[in-house]
Amino acid sequence: MPDDGTGALPLLRHVILNDKKSATYKLGLLRSVSRAADGAAGMAHYGDVTVSVPLGLVALNWIRLYKPLVDAGLPQQPGANATRLGFVKAGWDGLRDTPAFDLKAGRSFRGDAARSLHQAIRDAVNTLVSMPIQHMTFPGSDRPILKVDKQRAGRPPNDILIDRDYLARFGELRVPLHLWRSLARHDTWIEPALVGEWTALMERWAQKQNRTLDRLAVENAMRWSDPTRDVEFAREISRQLLDEGRLHCVWTGARLTGGQLDIDHCMPWAAWPCDDLWNLMPANRHINQNQKRALLPSAEALEEARDRICTWWETGYVARVPDRFFAEARASLPVSEPDFDDLFDGLQARRRTLRSDHRIDEWTPARVGAL
């Protein structure tokens, strides 16, 4: 029978609950990989027994996870101050005013910010390779679960676009295929287990330091830094095309007016919070709010809307912010080439994954179902 992702659950239970921990680093590593499996599957390369992801992506997720914890001064080792962790160096300090949710594919950094980001990722990579990747082993052995091919990333650039090519400059991390499938399919249960054990460790170490942690502060710091539900950029582009008389609802094909315009998350936000540009589309407000709502578009609905979606991608995003659009799409969708046919096939694949893994109800416009 095909592996449904449950084969690695005993291994995950061992790492999360039973494995010896002198820091939160093993949990941080596992959660960083889990976040890659959930939100950046497009960066993964599948082999026969392992999945390879850019080491820089894991380090970027690591920074994104630890940034609010360090800012809050929460203990990540017994007896150690959070600001004295080995990866918190000059590059980290340069990102102090950068929101954690800006550390994602498609974002651009220039000048001092680019150099700080590069140095922070390099420091995180060094910590990951020398500590949790080496010491997170199979039960009863000293054999590491994850394997790494580290590379020299070179000098800090003056301009960075966070995409797969850049993140792969730091090397590759190879994850056992059954573990990757578990993280991708069962993150709804794995994430709370990681957060719960991580929180318990911090509270235990805080007690040894004669500190009492504020539970709300801990919960806020442990929350993954998903962006707020912001569609303003897509809405502004839609208004520009609307003024030119070139804006249509992706689901009905009807020309939109200002009073009808709504921005739809094609893959529903309630099921999978994703504000990547490829996922934000103009739609008739009545259709979006009263029919599609938080439902997953059916394969038939997407296929019928293919030309309108691709036209929106091209005229709305590629004509204005091509680098960001393609970097986001190639990170979160399983695509190999930056062309619209491949991107649309990736969109359908993402739809199938959400449907099979999360069992989200589907929506098909009545006129499509009647064809």
Side-chain angles (χ1 to χ4, degrees):
M1 295 180 64
D3 181 10
D4 63 356
T6 59
L9 292 182
L11 177 60
L12 284 165
R13 186 182 189 282
H14 161 73
V15 173
I16 296 172
L17 298 178
N18 298 333
D19 205 6
K20 182 180 178 181
K21 299 176 182 69
S22 58
T24 61
Y25 288 0
K26 291 178 183 177
L27 299 175
L29 168 60
L30 197 55
R31 198 175 174 203
S32 296
V33 176
S34 178
R35 281 294 167 180
D38 178 61
M43 292 195 184
H45 287 170
Y46 286 77
D48 293 336
V49 295
T50 62
V51 175
S52 297
V53 293
L55 187 55
L57 171 64
V58 180
L60 189 71
N61 286 347
W62 173 278
I63 295 169
R64 192 167 168 178
L65 286 171
Y66 274 97
K67 193 174 188 301
L69 299 172
V70 171
D71 290 346
L74 299 175
Q76 303 306 307
Q77 296 172 332
N81 189 296
T83 59
R84 297 179 185 173
L85 300 175
F87 55 89
V88 180
K89 298 181 179 179
W92 184 284
D93 292 338
L95 297 176
R96 194 167 298 279
D97 295 330
T98 301
F101 60 75
D102 272 351
L103 303 173
K104 56 169 289 187
R107 295 298 194 262
S108 297
F109 291 77
R110 294 180 174 81
D112 290 341
R115 289 185 285 273
S116 293
L117 175 64
H118 188 81
Q119 185 61 53
I121 293 177
R122 187 160 57 187
D123 292 336
V125 164
N126 290 337
T127 295
L128 285 163
V129 171
S130 64
M131 299 183 73
I133 292 176
Q134 179 180 348
H135 297 294
M136 193 171 76
T137 58
F138 287 99
S141 79
D142 59 358
R143 184 163 59 96
I145 296 171
L146 309 176
K147 296 183 179 180
V148 63
D149 297 312
K150 184 183 176 185
Q151 297 179 10
R152 294 180 61 88
R155 296 175 60 84
N158 290 320
D159 294 276
I160 291 175
L161 171 67
I162 300 180
D163 60 5
R164 193 189 197 287
D165 291 341
Y166 170 71
L167 296 173
R169 289 173 56 179
F170 298 88
E172 297 280 333
L173 185 70
R174 283 176 284 148
V175 184
L177 183 57
H178 73 309
L179 176 58
W180 180 267
R181 283 175 172 160
S182 251
L183 295 173
R185 290 189 169 193
H186 303 297
D187 60 292
T188 303
W189 295 277
I190 295 170
E191 175 86 356
L194 285 166
V195 170
E197 185 64 15
W198 197 330
T199 300
L201 284 177
M202 291 190 295
E203 290 177 340
R204 191 180 312 148
W205 294 333
Q207 288 179 355
K208 292 182 179 180
Q209 299 169 11
N210 296 317
R211 297 171 57 189
T212 300
L213 300 183
D214 182 278
R215 178 54 69 98
L216 180 59
V218 172
E219 289 179 358
N220 289 335
M222 286 298 297
R223 186 177 297 116
W224 176 250
S225 56
D226 278 322
T228 56
R229 190 168 179 163
D230 185 4
V231 299
E232 190 53 41
F233 183 70
R235 189 180 299 278
E236 178 58 32
I237 293 175
S238 296
R239 291 190 185 111
Q240 295 174 16
L241 292 175
L242 190 148
D243 291 342
E244 299 169 8
R246 295 194 294 141
L247 189 68
H248 299 79
C249 172
V250 295
W251 303 122
T252 66
R255 191 185 301 274
L256 292 172
T257 66
Q260 297 170 332
L261 173 62
D262 211 2
I263 301 298
D264 178 30
H265 287 80
C266 182
M267 302 294 107
W269 178 273
W272 188 55
C274 176
D275 69 341
D276 290 351
L277 295 182
W278 61 264
N279 196 39
L280 304 180
M281 303 178 183
N284 179 282
R285 180 170 297 160
H286 177 78
I287 296 291
N288 189 33
Q289 297 185 8
N290 296 284
Q291 296 183 26
K292 180 174 181 289
R293 297 170 293 165
L295 301 177
L296 191 68
S298 67
E300 295 79 11
L302 273 185
E303 191 59 42
E304 200 276 337
R306 172 191 282 263
D307 290 343
R308 294 189 293 273
I309 290 173
C310 291
T311 296
W312 161 248
W313 283 345
E314 182 173 18
T315 59
Y317 297 134
V318 175
R320 292 168 172 80
V321 285
D323 290 344
R324 175 184 171 184
F325 174 78
F326 284 118
E328 290 179 350
R330 296 183 72 184
S332 52
L333 296 177
V335 299
S336 55
E337 298 296 333
D339 63 63
F340 293 130
D341 286 338
D342 205 35
L343 289 179
F344 193 86
D345 290 343
L347 177 63
Q348 282 281 30
R350 182 75 253 189
R351 191 208 71 82
R352 288 193 298 271
T353 298
L354 288 173
R355 174 64 174 161
S356 63
D357 291 354
H358 300 281
R359 309 308 301 171
I360 306 169
D361 289 339
E362 293 183 322
W363 168 78
T364 300
R367 67 187 189 87
V368 175
L371 294 179

